[in-house]
Amino acid sequence: MRILEDLKNPDYWVKVLQLGTIFFVIFVGLSLIISHFRQIISGDFAVIYQDEFSDGKWVEYFLVKAAISLVYAMYMTSRRKNFNRQ
């Protein structure tokens, strides 16, 4: 039941937020680079906007990546043994 103990620890959530934020930024950046490398190099950002963010698509785009980042951060943080603030 270690995970239930971790969920009650406020330091656990601080670490989850820190790791999740960093992972989210890197994940979004790499995702855009991988899926739209040619448009980024050519400077055609209108195509990227149209494909990923227009007509409310940005909500789903960021929610999926935020959910994945949260799960990843929770898993990786729970693997650590000590949550003491430094």
Side-chain angles (χ1 to χ4, degrees):
M1 291 293 159
R2 178 164 152 41
I3 189 75
L4 294 177
E5 295 169 11
D6 290 346
L7 294 176
K8 295 176 186 175
N9 188 345
D11 292 333
Y12 170 80
W13 290 106
V14 169
K15 296 292 184 186
V16 167
L17 183 62
Q18 290 172 346
L19 180 61
T21 302
I22 293 167
F23 183 75
F24 177 77
V25 170
I26 292 170
F27 187 38
V28 168
L30 285 176
S31 176
L32 283 172
I33 289 170
I34 290 169
S35 63
H36 296 287
F37 183 75
R38 185 170 291 162
Q39 289 86 2
I40 291 171
I41 295 299
S42 68
D44 194 5
F45 298 108
V47 172
I48 298 171
Y49 174 78
Q50 188 65 32
D51 288 348
E52 303 291 346
F53 305 116
S54 67
D55 299 327
K57 290 187 249 180
W58 66 272
V59 175
E60 180 183 351
Y61 182 82
F62 286 117
L63 280 178
V64 168
K65 289 181 177 31
I68 292 170
S69 297
L70 178 66
V71 170
Y72 174 77
M74 288 176 67
Y75 173 72
M76 292 306 288
T77 304
S78 70
R79 293 183 51 154
R80 294 190 66 192
K81 301 292 182 212
N82 137 10
F83 301 116
N84 296 334
R85 293 182 191 209
Q86 298 172 352

